[in-house]
Amino acid sequence: ELIFVMDADRQFGISEITKLIPYMKDFDIVVGFRIKRKDPFYRCFLGYCFNFIIRILFGIKMKDINCGFKLFKANLIRNMHLITKGALINAEIMALAQREKAKIKEAGINHYPRIYGKQTGASLRVISKAIFEIFQLKWRLLRKD
């Protein structure tokens, strides 16, 4: 009935799901946003820039679109034809959900410093692929209008 996604690098506590579940009776998607992001400045800056670009190009007005803590109604996600395989997956889901008039709620969650794993989101390879995927998604959405 529900699909929950969460980053596995321990920057979120699984117990935070209790902040999302109560909204599921009224919303199709509940998206976490990091109340106080515990990443280095450059990661916060890149996240801000990414959110800004997504807001301008796709009209998605979210505080933290790439926050890795989300809860979805399963039927909504199962009916989406997702093609993105990289950093743009959250934007693709939200753009398609917005097109379907899905009801989306944001909920603040705690964020912790990275202890395990290695961040890859700021690498030139990931950023280049995301830029390509942004144009690909924009083209795809324009063709369907």
Side-chain angles (χ1 to χ4, degrees):
E1 188 177 324
L2 299 175
I3 296 173
F4 173 64
V5 295
M6 175 181 138
D7 288 350
D9 58 7
R10 293 193 170 174
Q11 288 192 279
F12 303 108
I14 187 71
S15 63
E16 298 283 308
I17 195 171
T18 60
K19 295 179 179 177
L20 279 55
I21 291 173
Y23 295 111
M24 289 310 295
K25 62 184 167 201
D26 298 318
F27 294 90
D28 301 303
I29 302 172
V30 183
V31 178
F33 67 87
R34 295 167 270 209
I35 296 170
K36 290 185 180 179
R37 190 167 177 174
K38 303 291 185 183
D39 283 324
F41 172 78
Y42 72 94
R43 294 267 305 162
C44 295
F45 178 74
L46 288 173
Y48 173 82
C49 292
F50 184 78
N51 280 336
F52 180 78
I53 290 166
I54 297 305
R55 181 176 299 235
I56 297 300
L57 290 177
F58 300 102
I60 300 170
K61 296 176 175 90
M62 299 181 77
K63 293 178 176 116
D64 190 3
I65 195 164
N66 272 350
C67 178
F69 204 88
K70 295 177 177 68
L71 189 59
F72 306 93
K73 287 195 175 162
N75 62 341
L76 177 71
I77 297 297
R78 285 189 187 118
N79 291 327
M80 288 183 180
H81 176 69
L82 301 172
I83 60 169
T84 303
K85 293 182 177 22
L88 204 71
I89 189 66
N90 292 304
E92 180 181 17
I93 290 169
M94 293 306 150
L96 294 174
Q98 192 170 269
R99 174 176 279 197
E100 295 297 317
K101 308 277 191 262
K103 295 192 306 188
I104 302 169
K105 171 75 176 166
E106 294 181 278
I109 58 167
N110 292 306
H111 185 242
Y112 303 99
R114 181 184 304 273
I115 297 172
Y116 300 101
K118 183 178 171 185
Q119 71 85 19
T120 59
S123 77
L124 186 58
R125 186 176 147 263
V126 171
I127 292 170
S128 299
K129 185 175 180 183
I131 291 168
F132 173 76
E133 289 179 339
I134 284 171
F135 290 110
Q136 186 179 37
L137 179 59
K138 186 66 177 171
W139 176 251
R140 178 179 164 208
L141 292 173
L142 285 172
R143 286 188 330 191
K144 299 229 177 176
D145 283 338

